[in-house]
């Protein structure tokens, strides 16, 4: 699914955010990316989403070389990827349901299917009763569940989560992780970046540890 | 279709959200369209007038008072043989006086004071339109002028040509001015649309991350510009029409007389449609520039 060869990223020469990362994530895997703050976890996920370009090395996702994609192909590639961020990135002026149906809407899905599909995933994360609420009226845990629903609405093959529980209490964090585990059980490859070692221990999955941009432990 | 729907809805929402600054863009476009529209309105009406005058082209051969009927016959024969004339009419000295009295009633008292009739007899020749254009009429006029018994030949094409070339100058400068204003309007639209970008930044970021097609992301910006252009152009046309109606109400009768009884006309529908389309294009270009800057 994901294959990187000697992947590096630096913002100024000599100061590596990510250094010589060679890593394989198989299809259907659930992988934790951990390490202290500044280790390079977010950088790796940004490279995967092509929000930034690597400085050296190569990334292949599903066989395609990310640095070879044209602008149009990048957009196409992103349609197969769901993302979840620490700060949820919900649109405050749209309702919960609209936040989710926004994705099929801007992907050109017919209107009748937009809402139906959005409602389905919202129900799946257990928030159908809050469909007409606005994100800021929801608790942090609920907002993150909406974000997960939005990430799932276009049936991604790969789900990337960057500190998805960073703003949540421990019990809510576990709840979100269980949700991600369920997503993974449905066949979606999941990569979660978190510095929360306790949470990783509770979930118990393959873990890649970074420090200073280097892999220090590749389980 | 769905993209268009989304773009129009988001574009309109953004325009409305920033209606204060959108007004600037709309005014800028309206001004450009007003300049272009008034130019079209004036030149179009003058052109219709010129066309009428050109098709009604004629020249007058004024005869010396002592010209003989043989000389007149030779003149008329030359005109008939030239195949330049569509018809001709002999206007005697008496006819000329009557005509003067009829057309200039307020000056008729002047004419009664004349010892003897000061008006020369003439032959009025109506020129075939094609002959007017290809220079045969000019050649005939020059030949007739040399015949005995001819006092003068009046072929007033020069002032028509002068009007036509004056019109070209007016049109050229007006067009340049309108183009300049259109450019300024497009720049205004681009900055106004960019101002509204902030409010949609969350949405744009998510659209990019979920893989929305670039056209989908840029669409609302272009739509907002197009809408501003359409609104601006429509307002401009409305104002133009009001101005036109005011001119017609104030001076319509005089201008109508100048136009030989034909009334002034507002721009035909296809011109209006083109102006609105032009405003929308200018707005769209501005919106697209903003979109390219943003995404
Ligand atoms: N835009 C940027 N410009 C300069 N340095 C950056 C930028 N983004 C991240 N970094 C640096 O790259 C390193 C890795 O950052 P990041 O990937 O965010 O770490 P993590 O997510 O593991 O906390 C850090 O030292 C950070 O300061
Ligand atoms: Mg991070």
């Amino acid at each position: 699914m994901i294959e990187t060869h000697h992947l590096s990223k630096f913002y100024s020469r000599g100061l590596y955010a990510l250094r010589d990362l060679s890593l394989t994530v198989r299809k259907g895997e659930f992988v934790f990316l951990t390490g202290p703050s500044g280790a390079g976890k977010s950088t790796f996920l940004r490279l995967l989403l092509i929000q930034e370009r690597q400085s050296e090395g190569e990334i292949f996702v599903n066989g395609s070389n990310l640095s070879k994609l044209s602008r149009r192909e990048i957009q196409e590639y992103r349609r197969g990827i769901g993302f979840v961020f620490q700060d949820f990135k919900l649109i405050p002026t749209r309702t919960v349901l609209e936040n989710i149906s926004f994705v099929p809407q801007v992907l050109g899905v017919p209107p009748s299917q937009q809402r139906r599909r959005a409602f389905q995933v919202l129900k799946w994360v257990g928030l159908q009763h809050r469909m007409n609420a606005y994100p800021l009226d929801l608790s942090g845990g609920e907002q993150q569940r909406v974000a997960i629903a939005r990430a799932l609405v276009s049936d991604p093959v790969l789900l990337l989560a960057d500190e998805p529980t960073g703003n949540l209490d421990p019990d809510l964090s576990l709840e979100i992780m269980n949700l991600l585990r369920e997503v993974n059980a449905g066949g979606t490859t999941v990569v979660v970046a978190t510095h929360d070692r306790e949470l990783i221990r509770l979930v118990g999955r393959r873990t890649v540890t970074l420090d200073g941009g280097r892999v220090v432990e590749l389980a | 279709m769905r993209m268009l729907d989304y773009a129009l809805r988001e574009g309109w929402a953004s325009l409305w959200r920033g209606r204060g600054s959108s007004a600037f863009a709309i005014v800028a476009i309206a001004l450009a369209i007003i300049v272009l529209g008034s130019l079209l309105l004036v030149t179009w009406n003058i052109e219709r007038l010129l066309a009428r005058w050109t098709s009604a082209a004629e020249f007058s051969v004024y005869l010396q008072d002592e010209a003989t009927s043989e000389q007149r016959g030779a003149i008329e024969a030359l005109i008939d043989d030239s195949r330049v004339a569509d018809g001709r009419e002999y206007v005697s000295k008496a006819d000329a006086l009557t005509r003067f009295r009829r057309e200039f009633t307020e000056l008729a008292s002047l004419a009664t004071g004349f010892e003897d009739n000061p008006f020369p007899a003439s032959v009025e020749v109506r020129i075939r339109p094609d002959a007017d254009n290809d220079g045969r009429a000019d050649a005939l006029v020059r030949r007739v002028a040399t015949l005995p018994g001819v006092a003068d030949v009046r072929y007033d094409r020069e002032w028509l040509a002068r009007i036509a070339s004056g019109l070209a100058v007016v049109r050229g400068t007006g067009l340049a001015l309108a183009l300049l204003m259109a450019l300024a309007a497009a720049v205004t639209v681009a900055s106004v649309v960019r101002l509204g970008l902030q409010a949609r930044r969350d949405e744009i970021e998510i659209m990019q991350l979920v893989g929305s097609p670039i056209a989908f992301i840029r669409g609302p910006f272009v739509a907002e510009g197009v809408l501003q252009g359409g609104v601006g152009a429509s307002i401009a046309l409305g104002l133009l029409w009001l101005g036109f109606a005011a001119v017609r109400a104030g001076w319509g009768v005089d201008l109508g007389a100048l136009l030989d009884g034909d009334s002034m006309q507002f721009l035909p529908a296809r011109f209006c449609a083109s102006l609105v389309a032009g405003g929308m294009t200018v707005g769209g270009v501005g919106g697209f520039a903003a979109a390219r800057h943003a995404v």
Side-chain angles (χ1 to χ4, degrees), chain A residues 49 51 71 75 78-79 83 85 89 91-92 94 102-103 105-111 150, chain B residues 2 5-6 9-10 202-214 216-218 295:
Chain A
L49 259 177
Q51 286 176 288
R71 245 188 115 148
Q75 291 307 94
R78 284 173 173 166
R79 275 168 232 164
F83 57 85
F85 295 102
K89 287 199 195 300
I91 302 166
R94 291 179 187 259
F102 179 70
V103 176
Q105 187 188 4
V106 300
L107 295 181
V109 171
R150 179 181 62 191
Chain B
R2 275 190 279 286
D5 182 56
Y6 172 77
R9 229 167 335 144
E10 289 299 316
D202 292 346
E203 269 178 38
I204 292 162
E205 186 188 0
I206 289 174
M207 288 173 91
Q208 281 179 312
L209 288 177
V210 301
S212 182
I214 304 286
F216 239 104
I217 304 178
R218 288 182 177 162
V295 200

Side-chain angles (χ1 to χ4, degrees), chain B:
Chain B
M1 237 11 243
R2 275 190 279 286
M3 192 189 105
L4 196 66
D5 182 56
Y6 172 77
L8 281 175
R9 229 167 335 144
E10 289 299 316
W12 179 258
S14 177
L15 188 156
W16 188 246
R17 211 168 24 237
R19 48 195 174 278
S21 49
S22 294
F24 273 105
I26 288 171
V27 165
I29 287 186
L31 285 177
I33 298 290
I34 283 176
V35 167
L36 188 62
S38 355
L39 180 77
L40 276 176
L41 190 56
V42 170
T43 53
W44 186 66
N45 272 295
I46 292 179
E47 261 166 17
R48 284 194 313 135
L49 188 62
L50 281 183
R52 175 192 311 278
W53 282 341
T54 304
S55 74
E58 51 181 43
F59 67 85
S60 303
V61 182
Y62 294 98
L63 304 178
Q64 292 165 353
D65 280 354
E66 55 284 0
T68 62
S69 58
E70 287 79 35
Q71 286 173 339
R72 195 184 117 200
I75 293 165
E76 290 178 343
L78 180 65
I79 291 167
D80 292 345
D81 292 346
S82 70
R83 301 175 177 284
V84 164
D86 229 3
R88 62 173 164 75
E89 188 190 354
Y90 174 67
V91 181
S92 69
K93 284 176 71 74
D95 292 340
L97 181 62
T98 318
R99 213 190 258 186
F100 178 81
R101 284 191 173 134
R102 190 176 62 231
E103 286 179 14
F104 300 94
T105 39
E106 60 271 44
L107 298 176
S109 56
L110 249 176
T112 50
F114 293 143
E115 289 289 300
D116 46 27
N117 181 355
F119 295 100
S122 64
V123 178
E124 290 186 345
V125 184
R126 222 171 27 259
I127 300 169
R128 287 169 39 170
D130 52 330
D132 183 46
N133 294 331
D134 66 11
R136 279 187 293 147
D138 283 318
L140 176 64
V141 164
R142 273 195 301 276
R143 279 190 63 195
V144 168
T146 63
L147 290 183
V150 173
D152 193 13
V153 181
R154 290 263 294 278
Y155 181 39
D156 286 341
R157 312 309 292 154
E158 271 159 42
W159 65 274
L160 270 185
R162 264 205 302 277
I163 291 183
S165 69
L167 207 59
V169 171
V170 168
R171 197 183 352 230
T173 13
L175 220 58
L177 181 63
L179 255 158
L180 218 65
M181 292 181 75
L183 194 71
V187 170
T188 310
V189 169
S191 16
V192 166
V193 171
R194 219 147 68 195
L195 269 183
L197 183 86
Q198 206 58 30
R200 293 191 60 242
R201 266 185 42 151
D202 292 346
E203 269 178 38
I204 292 162
E205 186 188 0
I206 289 174
M207 288 173 91
Q208 281 179 312
L209 288 177
V210 301
S212 182
I214 304 286
F216 239 104
I217 304 178
R218 288 182 177 162
F221 296 95
V222 179
E224 185 179 349
V226 168
L227 287 169
Q228 286 174 350
V231 171
S234 305
I235 289 174
L237 276 181
L239 290 177
L240 269 179
W241 197 89
L242 282 179
F244 170 80
V247 167
R248 193 170 52 182
W251 300 284
V253 179
D254 303 328
L255 288 170
L258 184 69
L259 286 164
D260 274 336
D262 189 15
S263 59
M264 296 189 300
Q265 281 179 20
F266 194 61
L267 295 173
R270 73 196 140 87
F271 279 31
C272 295
S274 307
L275 282 176
V276 172
M280 287 176 145
T281 306
V282 168
V285 166
F288 184 72
R292 293 222 29 167
H293 179 88
V295 200

